[in-house]
């Protein structure tokens, strides 16, 4: 159901001063969510194995992308949001550990499907 107004009502503030910052309202638009990201590639640096370069094909109707990262294909608990780019340098890996990545595109109408898992040794 579309919303026309968002109402915020201050009931009580112990210090007596009410402040609001960074209000964000979430929902889904009436359009189509973005397509699945294509050509998702992850390259681990040979000279610096703590870094990985992630690149993918831009999705035309995407506002941004969410990259999921983890130490196994079933435990990707960390995520990174990227706006306005189709590449990202990930600099938080252990030297000898494998890492696994997935990506999905999003816009104001929803979230696209995640890619298949890509692993780097």
């Amino acid at each position: 159901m579309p919303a026309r107004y968002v109402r915020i009502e201050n009931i009580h503030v112990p210090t007596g001063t009410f402040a609001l910052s960074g209000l964000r309202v979430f929902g889904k638009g009436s359009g189509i969510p973005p397509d699945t990201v294509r050509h998702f590639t992850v390259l681990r640096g040979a000279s610096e194995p703590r870094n990985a370069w992630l690149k993918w094909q831009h999705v035309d109707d995407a506002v941004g992308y969410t990259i999921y990262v983890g130490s196994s294909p079933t435990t990707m608990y960390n995520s990174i949001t990227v706006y306005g780019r189709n590449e990202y340098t990930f600099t938080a890996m252990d030297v000898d550990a494998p890492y696994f990545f997935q990506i999905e595109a999003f816009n104001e109408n929803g979230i696209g499907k995640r890619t298949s898992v890509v692993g780097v040794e």
Side-chain angles (χ1 to χ4, degrees):
M1 170 174 243
R4 186 167 179 184
Y5 300 101
V6 175
R7 179 180 176 172
I8 299 171
E9 186 175 341
N10 176 27
I11 304 297
H12 174 72
V13 178
T15 62
T17 305
F18 176 72
L20 180 67
S21 174
L23 174 67
R24 295 175 69 186
V25 178
F26 294 90
K28 290 186 179 178
S30 57
I32 299 170
D35 287 335
T36 304
V37 173
R38 299 178 202 274
H39 308 294
F40 181 51
T41 306
V42 181
L43 301 171
R44 191 167 194 167
S47 63
E48 182 50 79
R50 291 175 289 207
N51 299 339
W53 180 60
L54 291 71
K55 187 162 178 66
W56 56 92
Q57 183 178 338
H58 173 73
V59 178
D60 289 334
D61 53 353
V63 171
Y65 306 91
T66 304
I67 302 168
Y68 297 92
V69 182
S71 57
S72 87
T74 58
T75 59
M76 290 187 285
Y77 297 137
N78 298 307
S79 64
I80 301 147
T81 303
V82 177
Y83 292 99
R85 294 180 294 163
N86 66 329
E87 63 180 82
Y88 182 79
T89 303
F90 184 69
T91 59
M93 298 191 296
D94 289 336
V95 174
D96 296 325
Y99 281 81
F100 299 88
F101 299 86
Q102 274 185 310
I103 189 170
E104 64 189 12
F106 64 87
N107 65 15
E108 58 278 348
N109 299 310
I111 302 169
K113 292 184 179 181
R114 286 189 191 187
T115 61
S116 56
V117 176
V118 176
V120 291
E121 296 290 327

